[in-house]
Amino acid sequence: LARYGRTAEGLADIEAAIAIERRVRPDGANLATMLENLAVPLRTLGRRREALAALDEAAAILGRRNSNTRERILLALDTGDVALASRLLPEHRVEASGPLSFTRLLHGLLAARIALAEREPAAALAAIAQVRADIHDSGLAAYLAEYSWEADLLEGGAHRANADPARACAALERAVAQAESLFDPASPALAQSREALAACGEPLRADQPATTFRRARRAIAPLPSGEG
């Protein structure tokens, strides 16, 4: 539910599952995974301290896995701490797993978000291009629509930062079309995609890239990562 946009309902379900798991296996791997999942809707709802506490508890059980590090990066970006996000990125390990590496895809999207927050649209576009190439080369593009949606959303922002409204609007039109097929009508991700498209032809103010994408990042749903 939380993944596809029904954040409050998803949060309630995760909290209920955690309560059961604490009674049955209070120090197990399942609890750590649930706590990392809990951090996602908490972050989306702006409850950042609680999200960080959940990540800390998960790390105390299983160490800081990629999924944990990814949420910490997103939290740092949400609060405008780009320096922290950049320092954490090397901790997000890229692991080969056959013809398609989910960690490579996620790492590329994280790198693109950080580059945008650093006002480096060329670096963001380079990272996005690699993500797209990996999706294409995998032969599994039909099953990776959420990754493509996020790439479109970030690409639109990068072109807008480059004062290229035609390319920005084209990318954001794709993002909206993908979001409409992927997410619940009430999803923050869909709302932010539409908002970004509505503004795609407007010039960015000097202070706008970081603030604009902070809101968009909060709306991004957790992706199926295969990360541990």
Side-chain angles (χ1 to χ4, degrees), residues 122-177:
L125 288 170
I128 293 164
Q130 184 61 60
V131 169
R132 292 198 188 285
D134 289 345
I135 291 173
H136 177 269
D137 293 345
S138 74
L140 299 170
Y143 302 99
L144 300 170
E146 289 174 70
Y147 296 88
S148 295
W149 161 75
E150 188 173 340
D152 286 334
L153 183 67
L154 297 172
E155 181 183 338
H159 286 311
R160 192 175 175 211
N162 272 337
D164 190 343
R167 289 184 179 180
C169 291
L172 291 167
E173 284 173 356
R174 295 194 303 269
V176 169

Side-chain angles (χ1 to χ4, degrees), residues 2 7-8 10-11 14 36-47:
T7 308
L11 174 62
I14 296 170
E36 290 173 347
N37 290 338
L38 177 67
V40 178
L42 288 173
R43 173 174 56 82
T44 301
L45 294 170
R47 294 162 60 179

Side-chain angles (χ1 to χ4, degrees), residues 68-208:
N68 196 298
T69 298
R70 179 174 183 268
E71 278 304 306
R72 291 176 187 275
I73 291 171
L74 295 175
L75 279 168
L77 290 170
D78 280 355
T79 58
D81 194 342
V82 182
L84 174 59
S86 184
R87 289 198 303 272
L88 287 171
L89 184 61
E91 295 183 23
H92 187 272
R93 301 174 305 280
V94 175
E95 300 164 351
S97 55
L100 175 66
S101 169
F102 287 102
T103 57
R104 182 181 170 98
L105 293 178
L106 288 169
H107 192 91
L109 292 169
L110 287 170
R113 292 183 206 160
I114 291 170
L116 279 176
E118 292 173 334
R119 303 183 186 180
E120 296 287 348
L125 288 170
I128 293 164
Q130 184 61 60
V131 169
R132 292 198 188 285
D134 289 345
I135 291 173
H136 177 269
D137 293 345
S138 74
L140 299 170
Y143 302 99
L144 300 170
E146 289 174 70
Y147 296 88
S148 295
W149 161 75
E150 188 173 340
D152 286 334
L153 183 67
L154 297 172
E155 181 183 338
H159 286 311
R160 192 175 175 211
N162 272 337
D164 190 343
R167 289 184 179 180
C169 291
L172 291 167
E173 284 173 356
R174 295 194 303 269
V176 169
Q178 293 267 29
E180 287 176 341
S181 68
L182 288 169
F183 302 121
D184 187 87
S187 167
L190 176 56
Q192 292 296 337
S193 298
R194 287 172 171 165
E195 181 181 326
L197 176 59
C200 69
E202 300 174 5
L204 284 170
R205 301 186 307 272
D207 66 333
Q208 204 168 357

